[in-house]
Amino acid sequence: MKIKRFIGGSLQSNGYVVFHRRGGECYVIDPGYEPKKFVQFMKQEALQPKGIILTHLHHDHTGGARAVKDAADCPICMNESDAFVYRGEVDCRLKDGDILPLDGEPLKILHTPGHTEGSICIFSEKSRVCFTGDTLFDTDLGRTDLDGGSEEKMKETVRQIIDYWENDIRIYPGHDEGCTMKEVRKYNEEFLALRSGHER
């Protein structure tokens, strides 16, 4: 899988275009700012957009979604829990376990509440990568004190989902740099605190 990252806005949010080859299929993940850059890149690579995947409802991750949709003629996808309260347009409501194929490579939707009720991660077993939105970062976890956030649900997400990810999986978060789960387990003190006492 090829991954093109765009950084935008005062919060330095990450958005991504994922694809395999020039002229192939692609998905756009979290186009929060500067939608023209996403559209220009897809045109430059002659990509065929299959959809826009929003990891959660916050504006710094969703702000450019409508403009990308209008330019690329593809659906906006979001977890059903966030879609109920999101003020923007949602064409496809995602559930835990849904599979979105990318030129034959399955992208699995994981419902990971905590930052928001409908936060998701997007996992590829084949490429060993996971797009984590604002759920998991290299050195911390997503905030749980905003609307829809829950410290208890973040703890469940850490213990029941993320802690089972193997060390070689590389995360691509909604802010800051990516890293491997091995590095998360070494440097992410918030993750380590929530998984404390967890017996696998």
Side-chain angles (χ1 to χ4, degrees):
M1 179 190 293
K2 295 182 179 180
I3 300 168
K4 176 65 176 179
R5 178 172 71 141
F6 296 94
I7 306 171
S10 59
L11 297 178
Q12 295 288 281
S13 301
N14 291 330
Y16 302 94
V17 177
V18 296
F19 63 107
H20 284 289
R21 56 184 174 81
R22 177 177 171 81
E25 299 174 348
C26 75
Y27 281 100
V28 177
I29 299 173
D30 286 354
Y33 298 101
E34 302 181 73
K36 288 182 179 179
K37 290 186 177 180
F38 293 84
V39 174
Q40 289 171 353
F41 178 77
M42 289 189 287
K43 289 182 177 177
Q44 171 189 316
E45 296 296 320
L47 296 173
Q48 305 169 38
K50 296 196 67 181
I52 300 158
I53 310 173
L54 304 178
T55 60
H56 62 290
L57 56 73
H58 292 152
H59 183 75
D60 57 319
H61 297 266
T62 66
R66 180 56 190 265
V68 173
K69 173 186 173 170
D70 288 346
D73 190 26
C74 61
I76 296 173
C77 307
M78 176 186 283
N79 177 266
E80 54 188 357
S81 295
D82 272 9
F84 285 126
V85 293
Y86 177 55
R87 295 181 180 179
E89 182 178 355
V90 178
D91 304 296
C92 173
R93 298 193 175 198
L94 301 169
K95 301 184 298 296
D96 184 62
D98 281 352
I99 300 295
L100 302 178
L102 176 64
D103 270 338
E105 177 172 357
L107 304 181
K108 185 175 183 179
I109 302 300
L110 305 176
H111 184 207
T112 52
H115 181 61
T116 66
E117 177 59 34
S119 287
I120 61 171
C121 294
I122 306 152
F123 175 63
S124 169
E125 173 70 33
K126 180 178 179 180
S127 294
R128 308 295 286 170
V129 300
C130 192
F131 299 90
T132 57
D134 282 3
T135 295
L136 178 68
F137 305 103
D138 53 354
T139 58
D140 58 1
L141 298 170
R143 294 176 60 176
T144 59
D145 59 341
L146 303 173
D147 286 347
S150 167
E151 182 76 8
E152 201 56 40
K153 289 185 177 179
M154 182 65 83
K155 182 186 294 186
E156 292 177 7
T157 288
V158 166
R159 292 184 174 186
Q160 297 178 15
I161 300 173
I162 299 174
D163 198 27
Y164 288 91
W165 296 351
E166 296 173 323
N167 280 339
D168 67 318
I169 292 171
R170 185 165 192 85
I171 68 165
Y172 288 85
H175 303 269
D176 302 324
E177 299 296 323
C179 68
T180 64
M181 281 302 298
K182 182 177 182 179
E183 292 168 313
V184 168
R185 291 188 167 95
K186 185 174 182 180
Y187 299 113
N188 191 323
E189 294 183 2
E190 290 187 6
F191 169 81
L192 294 172
L194 284 195
R195 75 178 292 270
S196 178
H198 180 207
E199 297 296 334
R200 298 208 318 193

